[in-house]
Amino acid sequence: MKTGFLFSILTFVSLFGFVACDGWTGGDPDAPSGQTSPQLTGVNPTANNSSVNLGNSITATFDKRMNSGSAGTFVVYGYNTGKLTGLYTGGGSQTLRFNPDVAFKTSEVLEVILTDSLKATDGASLAPPFVYRFRAEALAGTGVFTAGDTILGQSGARGVAAGDWDDDGDIDLAVANFSNNTVVIMINDPLGTFTIFDTIIGQFGASAVAALDWDGDGDLDLAVANRSDNSVGVLKNDGGGGFTAASAIDFQSGATALAAGDWDGDGDLDLAVANPTAGAGEVAILENDGTGNFMDVEATTGLAGATALAAGDWDGDGDLDLAVANFTANSVVVLENDGGGGFTAASTIDSQSGAKALASGDWDADGDLDLAVANSTAGAGEVAILVNDGTGLFADVNEVTGLAGASAVVALDWDADGDLDLAVANFSVDSVDVLENDPAGSFTFKNTNGAQTGASALAAGDWDGDDALDLAVANSGGNNVKTLENTP
């Protein structure tokens, strides 16, 4: 892994929540003569924070006075809402601030991109760019779930995504239906009752769906992994929840899973695709031109049975890396980003039997991102907890067993205690188990939710507006989506 880490954590200044930065080795070759690139010395909220106030502003502090940020230089995306708008202040000082126009959604992931177009007052540019994520807080919840809505009319539901498609303030759903080659758009009422709003056809073997703002227009678009026709379909939102097929990226062999993030730090969101049947298995990197048009720029091969992806800055150097669950090879491979969107295999965690799904979060509250792996064929099924040493090297520290056919895993703060818990879909026993964090990274069973027929995928959000995080389960065997409501 990299030896000059951008974010070696030196100290927390509790009053401001800054993280000190060390090892910044950037430089701007086009800077005016005699000038050096500004160096980032702190951000607030801190990277990987999992409980940020919903009304928080975002600041970046440098060792030089800076020109004001803008929507093109200090970019913020909400994973439930799209590209954020707001007020930029601090121009002429060392600390730049972004005040969003609207509050974050409950437990929403936020991605902050400081691009190399951000300049100091002396004309020198930030180099390289800096990308990081944090998560908004959960305000309520006990982690005890009860049955909610059942949305019928699905056909082999294998993927589900959550977001506010129609910009009305509540969280909606999209479902990838493998058997009838569709993506179904479901609108929330907003009390947690969902109705089918639209069906997008021609998504052959739809296996996964991801939601983000591909074209930067402030609403959430979709991407669909289409396993049967070896493609990724891009669906653009008209702002009211109406989606149209905009493009397809071909030559994605057996496309099964997706991850999104700004791999190259240019201010737009890119894609990664797990292609298990491409040769020995690969992950393809699709670069966005900023308008939602993607180009397949590279592939990392030798990933046998690549089945799931997770993105995060494993080594703390200010760019987003990847982790790949390899079902056939029984492993997780960590792919390191060079900062420009070029990925190389950095390490392998073996003995992950039938690795099927991944989730990431800071399980042990040490400031770096850890992993959880759903291992579908390990004994009766398990979730392995992989702890990061801060450099992107992971150790398998324990396993939660008794999760038969573990097929999906998501990480959120179900009980609103400030740490990240897990939920696991168990395909073989038709259930969803909730695992509570202690919060030092040790997980124990909280409760089991049955009556899920072929539980294949999970999404989370506050469906009913009570500030507690709920669940949605895509049931491929039952041809439905069921919601589970978290007791406040």
Side-chain angles (χ1 to χ4, degrees):
M1 305 299 288
K2 297 179 182 176
T3 57
F5 303 122
L6 175 61
F7 251 54
S8 297
I9 298 178
L10 301 178
T11 183
F12 288 96
V13 183
S14 60
L15 179 60
F16 299 105
F18 288 164
V19 173
C21 303
D22 188 29
W24 178 261
T25 58
D28 177 13
D30 298 319
S33 179
Q35 303 295 346
T36 58
S37 295
Q39 297 187 24
L40 185 67
T41 60
V43 293
N44 182 27
T46 53
N48 308 326
N49 191 324
S50 58
S51 189
V52 173
N53 187 283
L54 300 183
N56 221 89
S57 61
I58 301 170
T59 63
T61 300
F62 302 84
D63 66 346
K64 285 184 165 188
R65 295 181 183 275
M66 301 294 292
N67 292 329
S68 181
S70 70
T73 63
F74 189 151
V75 190
V76 183
Y77 288 94
Y79 275 48
N80 289 141
T81 48
K83 187 175 182 178
L84 302 189
T85 59
L87 178 65
Y88 292 90
T89 60
S93 75
Q94 290 179 239
T95 297
L96 301 181
R97 183 180 299 271
F98 173 70
N99 290 287
D101 287 335
V102 297
F104 309 139
K105 297 295 186 186
T106 300
S107 210
E108 182 175 23
V109 172
L110 284 303
E111 185 166 322
V112 181
I113 307 159
L114 305 174
T115 75
D116 59 9
S117 296
L118 200 59
K119 292 182 180 292
T121 54
D122 63 11
S125 298
L126 181 69
F130 185 79
V131 183
Y132 82 102
R133 292 174 175 175
F134 62 86
R135 188 186 293 272
E137 65 187 338
L139 296 176
T142 62
V144 176
F145 291 82
T146 58
D149 196 13
T150 298
I151 308 100
L152 302 174
Q154 313 308 308
S155 183
R158 288 198 184 181
V160 59
D164 186 2
W165 314 141
D166 52 1
D167 195 30
D168 65 351
D170 57 52
I171 304 299
D172 310 304
L173 292 170
V175 184
N177 288 304
F178 180 88
S179 299
N180 69 356
N181 308 314
T182 65
V183 171
V184 172
I185 306 301
M186 302 178 181
I187 298 298
N188 190 353
D189 69 357
L191 299 176
T193 299
F194 293 85
T195 56
I196 294 176
F197 176 73
D198 195 11
T199 299
I200 297 99
I201 62 173
Q203 308 301 309
F204 295 98
S207 296
V209 58
L212 271 173
D213 187 358
W214 311 130
D215 51 7
D217 63 354
D219 56 49
L220 287 171
D221 309 301
L222 295 171
V224 190
N226 295 316
R227 183 180 178 94
S228 298
D229 73 352
N230 303 313
S231 72
V232 171
V234 177
L235 310 179
K236 290 195 179 179
N237 190 349
D238 63 8
F243 291 85
T244 56
S247 62
I249 303 100
D250 295 320
F251 307 108
Q252 309 301 311
S253 185
T256 297
L258 300 166
D262 188 358
W263 313 140
D264 50 5
D266 64 352
D268 54 51
L269 295 170
D270 310 304
L271 281 166
V273 190
N275 295 319
T277 62
E282 70 172 27
V283 169
I285 303 301
L286 309 183
E287 186 177 320
N288 189 352
D289 68 0
T291 69
N293 292 317
F294 292 87
M295 178 179 293
D296 191 337
V297 295
E298 72 165 68
T300 302
T301 58
L303 302 166
T307 303
L309 297 166
D313 187 2
W314 315 134
D315 50 4
D317 64 351
D319 55 50
L320 295 176
D321 309 302
L322 291 168
V324 189
N326 301 305
F327 181 87
T328 306
N330 301 314
S331 70
V332 172
V333 172
V334 175
L335 305 181
E336 183 184 349
N337 189 348
D338 64 7
F343 292 85
T344 55
S347 62
T348 300
I349 305 100
D350 292 314
S351 303
Q352 307 300 310
S353 184
K356 194 71 178 290
L358 294 167
S360 69
D362 185 4
W363 314 142
D364 50 5
D366 64 352
D368 54 51
L369 285 172
D370 309 304
L371 286 167
V373 191
N375 291 319
S376 58
T377 62
E382 69 175 27
V383 167
I385 304 302
L386 310 184
V387 172
N388 188 353
D389 68 358
T391 72
L393 294 175
F394 293 85
D396 188 338
V397 296
N398 62 70
E399 295 83 30
V400 183
T401 58
L403 301 164
S407 57
V409 58
V410 294
L412 283 168
D413 185 4
W414 310 126
D415 50 6
D417 64 353
D419 58 54
L420 291 175
D421 311 301
L422 296 172
V424 186
N426 302 308
F427 182 89
S428 300
V429 291
D430 301 325
S431 68
V432 173
D433 281 307
V434 176
L435 308 180
E436 184 177 356
N437 191 352
D438 68 358
S442 180
F443 293 85
T444 55
F445 282 93
K446 177 84 171 182
N447 58 70
T448 299
N449 303 271
Q452 312 295 326
T453 308
S456 297
L458 296 169
D462 180 10
W463 315 141
D464 49 6
D466 62 359
D467 294 324
L469 287 163
D470 309 306
L471 280 164
V473 190
N475 290 306
S476 59
N479 295 317
N480 63 44
V481 171
K482 291 187 176 183
T483 64
L484 300 174
E485 295 184 2
N486 191 351
T487 306

